[in-house]
Amino acid sequence: MRWPYLLLSAILVLAAGLRWYGASFGLPALNDPDELVFELGSVRMVTSGTLNPGWFGHPATTTMYLLAVVNASVFVVGWLTGAYAGPTEFMAAIYHDPSLVILPGRMAMGAFGLLGIWQTWRIGRQFSKGQAGWIIGLFSALLLACSPVFIQYAQIIRSDMVGTAFMLLCLGAALRIADEGRRADYGWAALWLALAVASKWPFAITVFAVAGASLHYIKYGSGERSQQLRLLAAFALFAPLLLAMISPYLVLDFKTVLVNLSGETRTYHLGATGDGFFGNARWYTVGPLASGLGIGGLVLAVGGLVLMALDARLRLVVLPVLAIHLLIVFQANLRWERWMVPALPILALAAGVAVAWFAQRAQRRTIGLALGLLVLVPLALIAPSITGARARMNDTRQQATHWVDVHASQNATIMIEHFAFDMIKRAANVSFPLGDVGCVNTQAMLDGRVDLARVDRATKGRSKIDYGTMKPAVRGTCVSDYYVLTAMDRYRHEKAAFPAEFAAYSALLADNKIVATFSPEPGKSAGPVVYVLARK
């Protein structure tokens, strides 16, 4: 059967195109501040010759190691072609234009997105034998390939896509354990679990898939109970050891790990504070799940989950991971769209199960028509995916900095709240709010080659770095001719929760006036509401 592999190849090509189209959005400016955090960790390793990334909040070790390899490769290519005489020139070029490493890093995230799609197809094949397995695998892969949410987070340097790919590899190993109970698959599961946890802590829940697989093989397979329990115990011991080998500084620099973890345990966050279990469940369902799968895909997924619950193997191996993940994020104090990324492949597989169920019950003469109609469900997501990419390429932050470039004199002083490297030519007159330090001149930051340690000392674990979170005593360091404010509107909407921060912007407005406003338009532009202020 050659045609299914041709379809899979076409799906992967489509997925690659959708992920790499518009991946340069915003550059050289950085609209996602976490991208700079990950890059600074990787740059620190490359420039200091250490394997210690210096930050373990996610912990994101695999992401930073991957970026270090990508950055080193970019340097080697540039050095061989004569673009850089050495590391010093390369570092200077990065600080002048971070897109030199950000774009290759985003391409690497896209590659992990493809890995996740390919592994989802493999898992779908494991769900069922014969034609049904092919239908599940191909449909779930196509749904993920076209998913706007899955595409968006494959275009951003974060740990979500990397960890999800390793989680899926672990799920695949767990399904093989459930079927065959082999020692080798316990070893592979331990490796994939360790890599997933080294990417993001919450992926530790994938351990329940392996435990469920062992239980399934003991109950329904031909394996001896005591042997399987020994293999499961070895897995439980081996996985943490592999994690320590993959990310040794989780042990060697444990104090930093504790400090970084404490910064991740916030009960509220601007624009991301939760609304209780049921409020969060509704927000995720009508938001990232509906947009990530489409209404049709979400309905199919619900039906597929019911069918999966009737299968003992899927009920013990796959469903616990999804259920525990949803339970954790629904009851969390914060809510983020990206937290649904690990759930999307499992829900896509559930949708595939529902499609296979329909196909098996369709008459021979109508099965082609039925599958054709159901394929329209994922294909309908292509248009919003492309529209979303185009909107990200027309971000309100770049609109604002372009306005400043056109209307402000070259000698004007400007305070910005995002990493506007597109204003690098004005760096001598641009400042950025940096926690307790106050506003820091951008050129001085670039000349000093700011690193994560300096940022951590200045911000003292703050989740947001903006004008509102600075101490009142240092706000005088920010006095400028123009202010490009990306956080003020959100503080205005949540002033009851952030009264001090909103008061800071109110005081700023007393001495300045709004001269330009840039708001996102659905399908046309993305980003926050950005205000440009000027002196009265």
Side-chain angles (χ1 to χ4, degrees), residues 129-152:
K129 295 179 180 179
Q131 186 184 56
W134 277 106
I135 292 173
I136 296 170
L138 289 172
F139 185 86
S140 57
L142 181 60
L143 189 55
L144 275 188
C146 302
S147 168
V149 174
F150 213 65
I151 290 170
Q152 179 181 350

Side-chain angles (χ1 to χ4, degrees), residues 291-349:
S291 60
L293 298 172
I295 299 300
L298 190 56
V299 171
L300 286 171
V302 172
L305 290 175
V306 174
L307 296 172
M308 289 171 65
L310 301 176
D311 185 303
R313 184 177 56 139
L314 303 183
R315 186 171 64 244
L316 289 171
V317 178
V318 180
L319 291 185
V321 176
L322 176 64
I324 294 170
H325 175 73
L326 293 180
L327 180 64
I328 290 173
V329 298
F330 285 174
Q331 62 80 40
N333 294 314
L334 306 182
R335 59 191 189 192
W336 297 100
E337 182 184 64
R338 60 179 177 268
W339 284 357
M340 280 298 107
V341 168
L344 289 175
I346 299 177
L347 292 172
L349 285 163

Side-chain angles (χ1 to χ4, degrees), residues 139-487:
F139 185 86
S140 57
L142 181 60
L143 189 55
L144 275 188
C146 302
S147 168
V149 174
F150 213 65
I151 290 170
Q152 179 181 350
Y153 289 98
Q155 291 186 330
I156 301 174
I157 297 175
R158 300 192 60 88
S159 300
D160 305 272
M161 200 56 60
V162 177
T164 298
F166 289 131
M167 176 201 76
L168 291 169
L169 287 164
C170 188
L171 280 179
L175 286 169
R176 292 194 298 273
I177 291 171
D179 290 336
E180 303 169 13
R182 295 186 306 174
R183 183 195 308 269
D185 289 321
Y186 279 98
W188 283 113
L191 174 62
W192 301 133
L193 177 64
L195 285 165
V197 176
S199 304
K200 208 162 186 180
W201 298 109
F203 284 111
I205 64 172
T206 317
V207 70
F208 291 101
V210 182
S214 184
L215 177 61
H216 179 273
Y217 192 67
I218 290 172
K219 187 173 182 179
Y220 299 101
S222 57
E224 185 178 327
R225 176 187 176 91
S226 59
Q227 180 187 22
Q228 289 301 308
L229 291 178
R230 284 195 298 269
L231 289 173
L232 184 61
F235 160 82
L237 177 64
F238 196 38
L241 291 176
L242 283 172
L243 175 61
M245 294 171 63
I246 293 166
S247 184
Y249 286 93
L250 291 177
V251 178
L252 299 176
D253 197 6
F254 193 63
K255 289 184 178 180
T256 302
V257 174
L258 293 178
V259 171
N260 294 153
L261 284 176
S262 66
E264 296 292 312
T265 57
R266 298 181 294 273
T267 58
Y268 59 91
H269 191 289
L270 181 66
T273 303
D275 189 27
F277 183 90
F278 294 105
N280 288 346
R282 180 183 180 279
W283 184 86
Y284 281 115
T285 302
V286 302
L289 291 181
S291 60
L293 298 172
I295 299 300
L298 190 56
V299 171
L300 286 171
V302 172
L305 290 175
V306 174
L307 296 172
M308 289 171 65
L310 301 176
D311 185 303
R313 184 177 56 139
L314 303 183
R315 186 171 64 244
L316 289 171
V317 178
V318 180
L319 291 185
V321 176
L322 176 64
I324 294 170
H325 175 73
L326 293 180
L327 180 64
I328 290 173
V329 298
F330 285 174
Q331 62 80 40
N333 294 314
L334 306 182
R335 59 191 189 192
W336 297 100
E337 182 184 64
R338 60 179 177 268
W339 284 357
M340 280 298 107
V341 168
L344 289 175
I346 299 177
L347 292 172
L349 285 163
V353 169
V355 170
W357 184 87
F358 282 119
Q360 287 176 330
R361 281 152 184 79
Q363 296 181 6
R364 184 177 297 274
R365 61 185 179 182
T366 61
I367 185 173
L369 176 63
L371 288 177
L373 291 174
L374 289 170
V375 164
L376 293 178
V377 171
L379 293 181
L381 298 176
I382 294 177
S385 294
I386 294 175
T387 299
R390 288 175 176 169
R392 288 190 290 276
M393 290 187 282
N394 185 31
D395 195 278
T396 53
R397 284 159 285 200
Q398 280 69 67
Q399 294 175 23
T401 51
H402 176 71
W403 186 95
V404 171
D405 256 348
V406 171
H407 293 86
S409 70
Q410 288 300 311
N411 295 323
T413 54
I414 305 160
M415 191 210 79
I416 56 175
E417 284 191 312
H418 68 286
F419 300 120
F421 282 89
D422 51 341
M423 300 187 72
I424 195 73
K425 60 183 179 294
R426 290 177 174 263
N429 296 321
V430 173
S431 64
F432 181 82
L434 195 62
D436 292 346
V437 174
C439 278
V440 180
N441 177 258
T442 303
Q443 190 64 58
M445 292 178 70
L446 296 176
D447 292 342
R449 301 294 179 253
V450 62
D451 60 15
L452 271 178
R454 181 182 175 188
V455 173
D456 282 341
R457 287 194 301 270
T459 60
K460 294 185 177 179
R462 288 180 175 87
S463 60
K464 286 285 294 176
I465 305 175
D466 52 44
Y467 184 83
T469 57
M470 290 192 305
K471 285 185 175 180
V474 298
R475 287 176 190 155
T477 61
C478 299
V479 174
S480 304
D481 296 319
Y482 291 90
Y483 302 83
V484 181
L485 305 177
T486 55

Side-chain angles (χ1 to χ4, degrees), residues 519-530:
S519 301
E521 298 180 60
K524 295 182 179 180
S525 62
V529 176
V530 183

